[in-house]
Amino acid sequence: MVSTSSTFNWPPIDGIISDLDGVVYRGSTAIADAIEAFARWRKAGVPFCFVTNNSTHTPEDVVRKLTGFGLAIAPSQVVTSAITAAELIRTNYPELTKVYVIGAPSLVTAMREVGLEITDRSPEVVVMGLDRDITHEKMRIAVEAILNGAVFIGTNPDLLLPTANGFEPGAGATIAAVAAATQVQPSIVGKPQVPMIETALSRLGTNRASTIMIGDQVLTDIQAGKKAGLATVLVTTGVPMRQDPSLMAPDFIVSSLREVEVSAARAARPQQRRA
């Protein structure tokens, strides 16, 4: 049952996994309550890790951005869909090396860092992420490659991304267009799938029973957390919540991260290895 009242029965919280855009900031604007909350949790000794579907970010980009907002973190505290996509190709398709990328430079960099060749000539894999310079020609190349048998991978299914002044189309919008044209459904590596959540749990070293997932979208953040077996917290500072009875509901709904209670006593307990 979803808790939405001012009095919450919070579970023990020894670790936190959180989305970024819509939770910690909107576009280039910090969400002050969230920055204060994470600073407080860091001071209390509660480990946290950020997971982002936005493949335009590198961990170093996120570090610089949050540092500018007054929250210092390490690159290891950030798991991106670009990094997850590159790792998935290397793990699941070790024989494939030629990749066509539609996305930001950070997505291209993630592929190259694991030894993949970026090409538009007979690619064996098509990877699509958020590309603010998307063109019909880029989509044509992707469609032709997929129809010729290339593996189709999407970083994330987000249709909308919050900005400082509203919303913009997400990677999921253009991925859906290519999927419609080819009639081939991509493998999605970001939320609501769980690969990034599992990576974050491994980095935290916490038990999933005492780790929470915070996000602003039921369709992606909350579903990923629930699939991974975490208690989930929906914060209403990002994409507007839409009622959908087919989706798993969040365990808690808050309007500010100030409402999330993580006690220093809990933080002081020895960490358990994750189950």
Side-chain angles (χ1 to χ4, degrees), residues 33-58:
D33 289 359
I35 297 296
E36 293 171 4
F38 278 101
R40 183 174 69 253
W41 297 334
R42 180 184 60 193
K43 185 176 180 180
V46 180
F48 53 82
C49 185
F50 294 106
V51 289
T52 176
N53 270 2
N54 193 334
S55 58
T56 67
H57 296 309
T58 66

Side-chain angles (χ1 to χ4, degrees), residues 9-224:
N9 183 22
W10 291 102
I13 299 173
D14 293 321
I16 297 169
I17 299 173
S18 177
D19 182 41
L20 282 163
D21 210 347
V23 175
V24 183
Y25 50 75
R26 286 177 62 98
S28 60
T29 304
I31 298 173
D33 289 359
I35 297 296
E36 293 171 4
F38 278 101
R40 183 174 69 253
W41 297 334
R42 180 184 60 193
K43 185 176 180 180
V46 180
F48 53 82
C49 185
F50 294 106
V51 289
T52 176
N53 270 2
N54 193 334
S55 58
T56 67
H57 296 309
T58 66
E60 291 74 18
D61 291 334
V62 175
V63 168
R64 284 190 292 270
K65 188 167 190 173
L66 295 188
T67 299
F69 294 149
L71 180 65
I73 65 167
S76 61
Q77 289 176 271
V78 182
V79 180
T80 73
S81 62
I83 290 172
T84 307
E87 291 178 351
L88 180 139
I89 294 170
R90 271 306 184 203
T91 300
N92 293 359
Y93 306 99
E95 74 283 4
L96 304 184
T97 60
K98 299 171 67 177
V99 180
Y100 179 62
V101 175
I102 294 179
S106 54
L107 185 56
V108 172
T109 297
M111 299 297 142
R112 286 178 171 154
E113 286 182 344
V114 297
L116 296 170
E117 177 188 352
I118 308 302
T119 182
D120 60 1
R121 297 185 178 183
S122 302
E124 301 162 308
V125 183
V126 171
V127 179
M128 289 189 68
L130 181 64
D131 188 341
R132 292 187 171 92
D133 296 315
I134 189 74
T135 65
H136 183 272
E137 178 63 9
K138 289 181 180 180
M139 296 178 71
R140 184 198 66 76
I141 294 170
V143 167
E144 182 177 6
I146 294 165
L147 290 176
N148 286 333
V151 173
F152 185 15
I153 295 175
T155 58
N156 59 287
D158 299 69
L159 297 175
L160 283 176
L161 293 177
T163 66
N165 300 314
F167 300 93
E168 65 172 323
T174 49
I175 291 172
V178 171
T182 60
Q183 293 298 290
V184 174
Q185 291 303 311
S187 296
I188 299 295
V189 302
K191 301 166 290 182
Q193 305 308 321
V194 300
M196 287 196 296
I197 310 302
E198 294 295 341
T199 298
L201 276 169
S202 178
R203 292 187 183 186
L204 290 175
T206 54
N207 190 309
R208 71 183 70 235
S210 57
T211 303
I212 63 171
M213 173 70 200
I214 300 173
D216 69 309
Q217 297 196 51
V218 174
L219 183 61
T220 53
D221 305 318
I222 301 306
Q223 300 313 294

Side-chain angles (χ1 to χ4, degrees), residues 225-250:
K226 298 291 281 188
K227 289 177 183 178
L230 308 182
T232 57
V233 180
L234 180 74
V235 59
T236 59
T237 51
V239 173
M241 183 172 61
R242 298 172 181 173
Q243 297 296 330
D244 187 338
S246 70
L247 298 176
M248 293 179 282

